[in-house]
Structures are given as structure tokens and as C-alpha cells.
Amino acid sequence: MGRFEILFADEMGYCFGVRRAIEIIEEAAETGRRVASLGDIIHNPQAVERLESRGVRVLTELDDAVGRKRRGGLDVLAITAHGAAPQVAGGAREAGLEVVDTTCPLVTIVHERAAHLRDAGYYIIVYGDRNHPEVRGIMGHAGRNAIAVKAFEELPWQAPRDDFSAPRTAKPPKKVAILSQTTMDIRAFTAFVNRVNEIALPIGGEVFVHNTICKPTSDRQLAVRDLARRADLIVVVGGKKSANTRHLAEISGELGVRNYHIQRPEDLDPAWFTAEVKTVGVTAGASTPDDVIASVTARLREISEAPVVEPATV
Ligand code: SF4
């Protein structure tokens, strides 16, 4: 046996939404048409590199895609698994592009819910990172009477009554609905909802909460909590831009377990695995390919079985 045992989270790696998105875009690329995705199809560098090697370009702006279409350099625009605002697909189709929609069905549910709440007159709070493509897409369906925040302090009406610099909207609207980015931490979401309730309910407000954190995300978070009880150190594998992967590292840290978020096996530093580390936990985000997890595991085995080099004595 090596220096440490390797333990795996019960739930980790690709979720069905990511697998589905990759299959759809690969099928489109196989037809020989020129395909581009608007943003990374998923937030994992290896998966994006693989798709690029099959001819799928990554574009950041719709205008860029439209310009390429006009110049005859693009046929198909893929909406990523994160989804997009309705205007994106509309604008692409208007320019004559074929749109391949790989939006995860669980994100589509959030879009439908946001549109329904918008039409019902709710002020919609989207709990999430406003710069994340998924949140931008949800906001596109939520309409103008909506805000995206990832902390209670970012809400415009939370300022104390004696804060005269507080905005005029210091009182919450009467009808508030809260949705979440699908990959947020369920405990942090619950705490956020509680704080909104504390401020809205005493003034007779109505707060409608829809927990839109997806089950694959919740399952991976529960599994890393369990892993943290068993492991001395946790290695979290996945893209640095992947929100759900980052949350796995954050949860490990909150539970007091030393952890490292890495993208590839070369990122592992043998110096992390000190003598007191007897068990190393491995988990991976919902956008981490199976072969990346396998190569990280293989490198961990090498490190565990390598002879221990004692520090030189003077
Ligand atoms: S993390 Fe959840 S919402 Fe995102 S693609 Fe996977 S299943 Fe869908």
C-alpha cells in the first residue's frame, strides 16, 4: 500500500446535462457545417479543447457570430448548456444562423419559471453570480423587474433605517420571488432566503421561493460533505471557471479540510501530501470529463507510491 489511501466522492463528474450538451454539439460538428458555441460549451478547458479539435469554435459575442455568418464563415450557433436570454437565439436566427440549443433541461425549467413569475408581477431575485452565463440567461427571461445577487448585502433595500445614504427603494417590493442559479450551495441559498424573509414578511410582503439548484449539484455537494468526514485532504478536479466545481472546494474548506482545486494532473504538487495525510479524497465538478478524473487518479497513485524523500539535514 502507498503512503495514502485514495477515496472517491459517491457522486462526482459529468452530469446528464453536460453529457447531453456535448453529444448535441458533436453531432452538429460531424455534419461538416461550421459550428461555433457562444461561450464555452461547458466550463472545462479539456472538454473545450476537444471540441475545438473537432472544428467547434468558441465565440464570446453574438455580433461576432453574426459577422462571421455574413462573411460566409459560420453556419450553426450553439447555445451552451448554461442557456441564454431569448434575444440571443432570436438574433442568431434573424441573421440566418441555424441555432442548436444545448440548454440543460433543468435550466430551461428556471427560464420558464422566471417568465411565469415575471408575468405574474413578481420582483424576481436570482441568487447567483450576475456575470455567469446561466444567470445572464435567466435574467433575460425574468425581465426588467429583477435583480441578480449572490449576497444579501447586495440587495438594494437591506440597508439599516438609520443609513441615510441608502437607496430610495429601502423597502422590499410586496411580491418577491427568489430563484437560484442551478449550481449554488444549498445551505448558502437557504440562509439567503431566510434573510429576505426576515425583512419582507414583517411588512406584509409575499415571498415565493423556488429552489432551482439542480439535483446533480446538490448530490455532489452532499457527497463532498461526506468525503470531508473521511479524508485528510481533498483534491477537487475541474475547470477554474466552473461554479459548481468551485463550490465543492469551498464546502471542503468550510468543513476544515485542506483542499486543492486543480484542472489537470500536472497541477498536483507532491509536497502537498505530507506524512500526516493518510487519506486523500477526490471529487470533481459536473463539467469534468471522466478521463481527466482518471488521469488525476493515476498521478495520485504515482505520488502515493513514490519513495519518500527525507529533507536534507545540515
Ligand atoms: S449542473 Fe445541473 S443544471 Fe447544470 S448542466 Fe448539469 S444537470 Fe444541468
Side-chain angles (χ1 to χ4, degrees):
M1 191 181 129
R3 275 183 285 156
F4 53 79
E5 191 185 349
I6 302 172
L7 308 172
F8 297 97
D10 289 342
E11 295 282 345
M12 64 174 182
Y14 270 178
C15 60
F16 83 95
V18 163
R19 278 192 206 282
R20 177 180 169 277
I22 290 174
E23 277 168 24
I24 294 173
I25 199 162
E26 280 181 350
E27 261 173 40
E30 274 166 20
T31 61
R33 289 169 299 169
R34 286 152 303 182
V35 180
S37 72
L38 198 56
D40 291 347
I41 195 83
I42 56 168
H43 281 158
N44 182 272
Q46 292 94 337
V48 171
E49 282 159 21
R50 213 163 294 161
L51 286 168
E52 281 178 338
S53 74
R54 294 179 183 192
V56 179
R57 284 174 175 278
V58 177
L59 304 178
T60 51
E61 301 292 336
L62 178 60
D63 286 352
D64 189 6
V66 170
R68 281 170 196 264
K69 172 68 185 165
R70 286 205 188 107
R71 296 191 297 276
L74 189 65
D75 305 308
V76 179
L77 185 69
I79 306 284
T80 72
H82 300 119
Q87 301 82 335
V88 172
R93 286 196 184 102
E94 244 171 58
L97 282 160
E98 184 187 329
V99 174
V100 167
D101 189 356
T102 79
T103 306
C104 174
L106 299 183
V107 175
T108 303
I109 291 173
V110 191
H111 291 172
E112 289 167 357
R113 176 66 64 173
H116 176 76
L117 292 164
R118 175 199 66 208
D119 294 344
Y122 282 89
Y123 178 86
I124 301 174
I125 302 172
V126 180
Y127 176 68
D129 176 355
R130 67 171 70 97
N131 297 314
H132 191 283
E134 182 192 314
V135 173
R136 288 205 299 267
I138 298 170
M139 290 296 283
H141 290 80
R144 292 187 177 191
N145 203 18
I147 190 169
V149 296
K150 62 176 177 187
F152 176 76
E153 290 70 23
E154 292 172 27
L155 287 170
W157 61 77
Q158 52 77 40
R161 282 177 187 279
D162 57 356
D163 180 355
F164 296 111
S165 64
R168 277 169 182 253
T169 53
K171 254 180 162 185
K174 281 279 183 193
K175 283 174 69 165
V176 173
I178 309 176
L179 303 174
S180 177
Q181 184 178 345
T182 55
T183 49
M184 298 303 271
D185 176 3
I186 183 67
R187 295 194 185 201
F189 179 61
T190 308
F192 176 83
V193 168
N194 288 342
R195 292 193 71 185
V196 174
N197 275 334
E198 274 168 16
I199 205 155
L201 299 187
I203 60 158
E206 175 191 340
V207 181
F208 177 91
V209 181
H210 189 73
N211 174 12
T212 47
I213 296 172
C214 76
K215 185 164 183 320
T217 292
S218 304
D219 288 347
R220 279 155 188 71
Q221 291 175 1
L222 278 175
V224 80
R225 287 181 188 279
D226 174 57
L227 188 66
R229 280 194 281 275
R230 299 182 280 135
D232 298 324
L233 180 152
I234 291 181
V235 174
V236 181
V237 191
K240 294 277 178 180
K241 285 199 259 175
S242 160
N244 75 83
T245 310
R246 282 202 312 268
H247 287 141
L248 296 177
E250 284 161 16
I251 291 170
S252 311
E254 281 163 18
L255 294 173
V257 181
R258 185 152 60 93
N259 63 89
Y260 297 96
H261 178 174
I262 62 160
Q263 298 200 124
R264 46 189 97 235
E266 304 86 75
D267 299 340
L268 287 168
D269 182 347
W272 297 339
F273 305 91
T274 46
E276 65 275 17
V277 174
K278 301 291 182 210
T279 46
V280 172
V282 176
T283 186
S287 50
T288 310
D290 299 342
D291 60 334
V292 176
I293 301 171
S295 58
V296 167
T297 306
R299 178 69 188 126
L300 281 170
R301 290 212 171 97
E302 276 174 19
I303 294 171
S304 177
E305 279 152 23
V308 179
V309 181
E310 298 294 346
T313 46
V314 185

